[in-house]
Amino acid sequence: FVGNSTYLDDHGPPPQKVLPFPSQVVYNRVGKCGSRTVVLLLRILSEKHGFNLVTSDIHNKTRLTKNEQMELIKNISTAEQPYLFTRHVHFLNFSRFGGDQPVYINIIRDPVNRFLSNYFFRRFGDWRGEQNHMIRTPSMRQEERYLDINVCILENYPECSNPRLFYIIPYFCGQHPRCREPGEWALERAKLNVNENFLLVGILEELEDVLLLLERFLPHYFKDVLSIYKNPEHRKLGNLTVTVKKTIPSPEAIQILYQRMRYEYEFYYYVKEQFHLLKRKFGLKSHIRKPRPRPEFFIPSPLETEEPIDDEEEDDEKWLEDIYKR
């Protein structure tokens, strides 16, 4: 069980009452990173496996005051276990307020793709809205709704420049005000939290492998998730969450976005590399389609490497135990 001070202080064996699996899981889902698909799956899985799925209707409040943090942590901590809590919210440090730190999981995706998905979703929604002739964000002025993505980027509109583009890292950095300032401090703190508090951070481009590993690490919650995901009925549901009217910016505009989001990319490549190491550790080959050639205007990252990395031999179950005890 993650977060018990017994483990943190290395004061001997865990108490006997600890369940053989983490009974407190938080999925502080990042916007436009496949989370609605995963929540659809979690609804099915919670019925099937009998865990308590705690969702939140609050979708637009990721940053909390100290009192709001305390209140939310208290509410989550008192939920019936085993629970999985999910909400769009920046990382919460339970131990700071005297609570047991839960197991965190999350999924991220290529930052420019995430940004574009959000840009058009805010304006035009997804196929569910299209079918019902709904338009997203009714209060948005028409000139803003139809603002050309290239104009937004090249003319430095607030929506297409920092700090709005610094979006993924705060979900892992946390609630500290500096977590929202694009820079090394927030980046390093986010990496540290990934290492210390997240059981798994997957990447959306390899969702099937993310689900496989979740099933392996958290079977009480995710057993059979892949077969449910591959079920044709579910695929039909998933297609409704695809953003509509998406267009691709010019290479020049994407290059500018890439420069503005350099910390986001450094974090994304770090997470991707960790994810690939984890896959190798568990003998998972990549099942993804051959990636499209990276456009020339994307700067290749030194973290992206195709060579196999030799891992030290380690017993899989022992490794999982250590993760749970961290």
Side-chain angles (χ1 to χ4, degrees):
F1 188 76
V2 168
N4 192 310
S5 60
T6 317
Y7 300 129
L8 296 179
D9 303 335
D10 292 321
H11 286 162
Q16 288 308 302
K17 62 180 181 181
V18 172
L19 293 166
F21 54 85
S23 58
Q24 302 175 82
V25 178
V26 173
Y27 170 33
N28 64 321
R29 59 188 196 266
V30 181
K32 306 312 297 170
C33 289
S35 64
R36 282 177 305 151
T37 297
V38 177
V39 170
L40 281 173
L41 290 169
L42 283 168
R43 291 194 196 286
I44 299 165
L45 291 164
S46 65
E47 292 285 318
K48 189 175 166 68
H49 301 317
F51 62 85
N52 182 15
L53 178 63
V54 186
T55 58
S56 171
D57 294 331
I58 303 167
H59 300 297
N60 56 0
K61 191 167 174 57
T62 53
R63 311 162 184 182
L64 308 177
T65 65
K66 189 174 176 182
N67 283 341
E68 287 168 340
Q69 289 176 59
M70 287 171 74
E71 189 65 23
L72 181 57
I73 285 170
K74 192 175 94 181
N75 290 344
I76 297 170
S77 299
T78 53
E80 186 189 340
Q81 297 182 25
Y83 69 72
L84 190 148
F85 174 81
T86 179
R87 173 178 161 178
H88 293 300
V89 65
H90 295 166
F91 175 78
L92 292 159
N93 188 341
F94 282 58
S95 51
R96 181 185 170 205
F97 299 102
D100 282 336
Q101 192 70 3
V103 163
Y104 270 88
I105 57 172
N106 217 322
I107 299 172
I108 65 172
R109 75 192 281 194
D110 178 279
V112 164
N113 287 340
R114 196 220 68 83
F115 164 76
L116 294 176
S117 180
N118 188 59
Y119 184 90
F120 293 104
F121 178 74
R122 284 184 68 239
R123 286 159 172 76
F124 307 111
D126 54 30
W127 284 108
R128 293 178 301 180
E130 186 89 345
Q131 288 183 335
N132 299 321
H133 308 291
M134 280 166 56
I135 199 140
R136 189 80 183 169
T137 328
S139 60
M140 191 181 275
R141 299 192 318 278
Q142 288 297 86
E143 60 265 34
E144 187 185 352
R145 189 181 309 283
Y146 293 100
L147 174 63
D148 182 273
I149 183 76
N150 289 303
V151 172
C152 185
I153 296 164
L154 297 173
E155 297 187 13
N156 212 12
Y157 279 67
E159 187 178 357
C160 297
S161 55
N162 278 318
R164 300 266 189 96
L165 295 178
F166 194 68
Y167 182 87
I168 297 172
I169 285 174
Y171 275 87
F172 299 88
C173 178
Q175 296 289 335
H176 192 287
R178 286 188 71 186
C179 286
R180 301 190 285 278
E181 296 169 10
E184 290 291 333
W185 188 90
L187 169 66
E188 292 308 318
R189 183 156 165 158
K191 287 181 184 176
L192 187 68
N193 274 335
V194 166
N195 295 338
E196 292 190 349
N197 292 299
F198 283 78
L199 177 64
L200 178 71
V201 183
I203 57 168
L204 184 61
E205 293 84 355
E206 298 172 42
L207 182 58
E208 288 194 9
D209 286 341
V210 178
L211 297 177
L212 268 171
L213 286 176
L214 284 170
E215 184 169 355
R216 182 72 181 268
F217 296 170
L218 298 169
H220 189 80
Y221 298 87
F222 286 97
K223 190 171 188 306
D224 302 323
V225 66
L226 205 55
S227 55
I228 295 167
Y229 175 69
K230 288 181 164 180
N231 182 308
E233 282 304 301
H234 172 260
R235 294 313 282 232
K236 206 161 63 185
L237 285 173
N239 288 339
L240 296 177
T241 64
V242 173
T243 303
V244 296
K245 300 191 195 308
K246 205 187 291 184
T247 57
I248 303 299
S250 68
E252 181 193 2
I254 288 188
Q255 178 63 45
I256 288 169
L257 273 186
Y258 192 88
Q259 295 298 340
R260 288 177 188 165
M261 300 171 93
R262 63 188 180 278
Y263 294 111
E264 294 273 275
Y265 269 99
E266 195 172 328
F267 182 72
Y268 172 71
Y269 288 136
Y270 176 79
V271 166
K272 190 175 181 180
E273 186 68 12
Q274 298 301 309
F275 182 65
H276 286 167
L277 286 170
L278 206 51
K279 278 174 41 171
R280 290 191 194 105
K281 188 184 283 287
F282 285 90
L284 278 185
K285 302 285 181 284
S286 287
H287 298 299
I288 52 168
R289 298 184 200 92
K290 195 169 176 60
R292 285 173 301 193
R294 183 181 280 266
E296 287 169 21
F297 45 81
F298 274 123
I299 304 154
S301 161
L303 285 174
E304 284 195 305
T305 169
E306 293 310 313
E307 307 91 47
I309 294 172
D310 293 327
D311 294 328
E312 292 174 29
E313 287 299 312
E314 190 177 348
D315 177 61
D316 286 353
E317 302 312 316
K318 163 95 172 55
W319 179 84
L320 267 180
E321 267 174 43
D322 290 345
I323 283 272
Y324 290 167
K325 290 177 184 176
R326 255 187 338 217

